[in-house]
Amino acid sequence: QSQYDEALAKKLGADNIGMKKYVMAFLLRGDRVAEYTPEQRQEIQAGHMANIGKMAEMGKLVLAGPFFGNDDLRGIYIFDVQSIDEAKALTETDPAIQAGVLKMDLKEWYGSAALMMVNEIHGKIAKGSVQ
């Protein structure tokens, strides 16, 4: 391909077809949600959001976001890690996981290495942040 950028492919960890392995985390409603007051859940959520920022700054969290609606499937993380064990260690730093408000189902996933640029691009198009 005439557009192929070998240096960029190497920087992003791309294989010969521009893909790489990630670990995807499906965030599910935890079993202990009802144990907390709305104020406590708000505090847990603030810690959850701060942890997302920390993991992104570390370069380990490529993508995160909630699903619409109020189903048991709450959101996803996509981690740039080599193993499910490494992703599990990261998810265990989340205050919502620690509190049992969320739980994770981790799966290895093969996707475009271009995802590694999402945070850089997002920073250029976001006027504000989630509170």
Side-chain angles (χ1 to χ4, degrees):
Q1 286 194 21
S2 62
Q3 295 181 6
Y4 177 69
D5 183 332
E6 184 175 356
L8 181 59
K10 185 175 181 178
K11 174 184 168 188
L12 300 179
D15 64 14
N16 287 340
I17 60 170
M19 306 282 277
K20 68 179 283 168
K21 182 178 93 169
Y22 300 94
V23 174
M24 184 177 286
F26 293 91
L27 288 73
L28 304 160
R29 184 183 319 277
D31 300 326
R32 298 181 53 208
V33 175
E35 295 177 22
Y36 300 97
T37 65
E39 293 79 17
Q40 289 171 317
R41 286 196 305 270
Q42 188 173 7
E43 187 176 317
I44 291 167
Q45 178 67 14
H48 170 70
M49 296 304 294
N51 195 61
I52 288 172
K54 181 183 82 175
M55 292 186 299
E57 287 174 13
M58 291 169 51
K60 297 293 185 181
L61 185 62
V62 176
L63 185 68
F67 290 108
F68 288 98
N70 197 26
D71 297 330
D72 285 344
L73 185 57
R74 307 301 299 148
I76 60 166
Y77 289 160
I78 298 177
F79 290 109
D80 179 26
V81 296
Q82 294 302 308
S83 70
I84 286 179
D85 287 341
E86 189 178 352
K88 185 176 185 298
L90 288 167
T91 66
E92 289 173 348
T93 67
D94 191 314
I97 296 291
Q98 294 168 353
V101 172
L102 290 175
K103 55 188 175 182
M104 301 277 178
D105 184 17
L106 302 168
K107 303 286 185 199
E108 291 180 318
W109 182 67
Y110 188 58
S112 173
L115 284 179
M116 296 300 296
M117 296 185 74
V118 165
N119 286 320
E120 176 184 337
I121 294 168
H122 184 79
K124 294 176 181 179
I125 62 171
K127 285 186 178 181
S129 64
V130 176
Q131 300 298 328

